[in-house]
Amino acid sequence: MANESTENKSAEDILADKLAAEIIEDAEEQVEVELDTAVENISAEQEKINELELALATAKSTVADQKDSVIRAKAEVDNVRRRASQDVEKARKFALEKFAAEMLTTVDNLERALQNIDKDDETNTAIIEGIELTYQGLLASLEKFSIQAIDPQDQPFNPELHQAMSMQEVEGVAPNTVIAVMQKGYELNGRLIRPAMVMVSKAKPSVDTTA
C-alpha cells in the first residue's frame, strides 16, 4: 500500500510539474506576445514622434524664411517710399525751373531798359519809376520761390557758375577775376538755371628777359 501511495504521489507530482511547465510556457508566450506588442507600440510612437519633430523643424524653417521675406519686403517698401519722397521733393523744388527760365527774359529786358533809358530827361521819371517798381517786384517774387541771382562782379571766376565771354588784361587786377557782368546768372534751390555771362581778367604775358 505504501508503494502504491508513493507511485500515485509521484504520478501526481509528475502531473503537477507538467501543468506547472505548461502554465509557465503559456505565461512566457504571453509575455513575449505582450513584449512584441509593446515594442511595436513603442516603435509606432517613436515614428510618430520623429514625424512630429520633422514637421516642427520644417515649420520653424518656414517661419524663419517667411520672417526674412517680411524683413526684405519691409526694407524694399522703405526704399520705395524714400525714393518716392525724394522724387516728390525734387519735383516740388524744380517744378518752376522752366517758368523761372522764361521769367528771366523779362528780368533781362527790365534791366536793359533801366540801363539804356535817359535818366536825365525828366519826362522819363515816371517811366523809370514804373520800370523800377516792376523790376523790384519781379525780383522779390523770384526770391520768394528760391530763385537767386548770380552777380559775380569782382569775384573769382567760377566755371561752375560763370560763363566767360571774353578775357582782358587789367592793371592791378588779379588774373581770373570777373571784371564785368554782361548778364546775371540765376539758381533755383541751388541748381543752376543760367550761368552768369562775364568778362574775366587775364595775366600779362611773361616777358623773356634771357634774350
Side-chain angles (χ1 to χ4, degrees), residues 96 100 104 139 142-143 145-149 186-189 193:
L96 295 176
L104 297 184
L139 288 182
L142 293 176
E143 290 180 0
F145 291 98
S146 301
I147 301 171
Q148 301 291 334
Y186 285 88
E187 291 178 314
L188 170 61
N189 284 309
I193 299 176

Side-chain angles (χ1 to χ4, degrees), residues 146-191:
S146 301
I147 301 171
Q148 301 291 334
I150 301 173
D151 187 5
Q153 181 68 41
D154 299 326
Q155 297 177 10
F157 175 72
N158 183 351
E160 294 183 357
L161 300 176
H162 313 151
Q163 181 177 349
M165 306 303 295
S166 63
M167 299 189 72
Q168 182 177 334
E169 295 178 22
V170 180
E171 188 69 30
V173 177
N176 294 321
T177 298
V178 175
I179 56 177
V181 179
M182 302 171 184
Q183 187 181 67
K184 293 178 183 178
Y186 285 88
E187 291 178 314
L188 170 61
N189 284 309
R191 175 187 287 184

